[in-house]
Amino acid sequence: MAELRNIDLNLLVIFQHLLEDRNISAVARRLNLSQPAVSNALRRLRSVLGDELFVRTTHGMQPTPHAERLGGPVGEALALLSHTLDARHDFRAEESPRRFRIAMSDVGEIYFMPRLIEHCARHAPGVRMDSLHLSGADLRREMDAGRIDLAIGAFEGLGSGVMQRMLFRQGYATLFRRGHPTAHEGMSLKAFRAERHLVVSHAAPHGQVNQSLEKAGVALDAHFSVPHFSAVPHIVSATDLLATVPQKLADSVAAHFELGLLAPPLRVPALQTNLYWHRRFHRDSGNQWLRAITVDIFADAP
């Protein structure tokens, strides 16, 4: 193992960005460095650590197994150091230029991001937020490394180091365009099955709605599908398809896209949406602020 005194901290910062971007030019732009400077830093790291670390492929600079193993600990160490240095002063939302990274699904972006952005515009004009689509082992690794400030949704297997709080529970609603010739509130299951449907195929953790549709006799492979929720209101507003989606998404898009809502004539388990953050940042004042505004804006009353 290389002695710590032989490693320049700046080299580890470049290593971390290479893990994220897999592209020397992108890292150079991100850090306001020249490409030769980033390439030289990579050469120095290779020499110190005794490994290629990144190999050029048609898909960019791919990390070696050794670089993958280093990624988590290095990211965690850099994040801890950054938060420690920032902790000299309490977080002041109205003055802070901090950028937060929040993991959420596409349906989460539609529901959460507009109101979070509006809150920042009013109360924290310098704060910025990035949303990311991560789940499973990828989300766990990024949270362990300190690269994700918050996750909002229904995630499992994040490990003992991640804390959580319930925001709300919700059911589902079926969207249809206003003027649809046959869709209406109170329609029977038989009539519902006879309609054409739009199915969200990659709906995790909302896959339970697809299971409920199948149990009710709606053959999913006989209908249209899209991989994500973001396209649903656009398609439903221009067709006679029905789409069964989370209630809060339906409420958010119905008026804007001139859509009607009906309670689907089938049983779908309620979906619970939680807030997740890493235990290491439980007392970080910026993270506390972000959690507090998310709860204040979105959480159901106790």
Side-chain angles (χ1 to χ4, degrees), residues 22 26 45 51 67 73 106 118 122 124 141 155 168 180 185 197 246 252 260-262 264:
R22 311 291 172 94
L45 269 173
D51 188 85
D106 68 315
E118 177 61 22
R122 291 177 178 272
R141 182 180 64 251
F155 302 106
F168 53 76
H180 191 291
E185 179 60 76
H197 293 263
S252 297
L261 279 72
L262 64 90

Side-chain angles (χ1 to χ4, degrees), residues 10-169:
N10 291 317
L11 297 183
L12 295 182
V13 173
I14 291 174
F15 170 81
Q16 190 62 39
H17 286 304
L18 278 171
L19 268 181
E20 296 173 7
D21 294 335
R22 311 291 172 94
N23 184 285
I24 287 177
S25 298
V27 172
R29 290 192 299 270
R30 192 169 173 181
L31 297 178
N32 197 27
L33 297 172
S34 67
Q35 290 188 39
V38 176
S39 297
N40 183 56
L42 179 56
R43 282 194 294 271
R44 291 169 61 191
L45 269 173
R46 285 167 169 165
S47 175
V48 171
L49 298 176
D51 188 85
E52 279 292 294
L53 298 177
F54 296 91
V55 178
R56 192 180 302 278
T57 73
T58 56
H59 300 289
M61 301 291 288
Q62 295 301 309
T64 65
H66 185 51
E68 291 277 18
R69 287 192 296 270
L70 289 174
V74 168
E76 184 173 344
L78 290 175
L80 182 60
L81 179 58
S82 176
H83 282 283
T84 300
L85 294 175
D86 288 342
R88 292 175 301 172
H89 307 288
D90 287 337
F91 177 83
R92 291 179 175 272
E94 64 276 12
E95 301 173 359
S96 176
R98 185 163 169 179
R99 180 176 290 274
F100 293 98
R101 292 160 62 88
I102 308 173
M104 62 180 76
S105 66
D106 68 315
V107 67
E109 288 171 336
I110 295 170
Y111 182 67
F112 294 109
M113 285 298 284
R115 296 171 71 182
L116 288 173
I117 291 170
E118 177 61 22
H119 183 91
C120 287
R122 291 177 178 272
H123 305 288
V127 167
R128 295 295 179 265
M129 296 181 183
D130 299 328
S131 67
L132 299 94
H133 296 184
L134 293 168
S135 60
D138 292 335
L139 177 55
R140 182 170 63 248
R141 182 180 64 251
E142 294 297 291
M143 294 193 78
D144 286 343
R147 293 189 290 268
I148 295 294
D149 296 284
L150 212 61
I152 308 175
F155 302 106
E156 297 180 353
L158 295 183
S160 59
V162 174
M163 307 177 75
Q164 63 179 283
R165 180 203 193 279
M166 188 185 83
L167 281 180
F168 53 76
R169 290 171 63 82

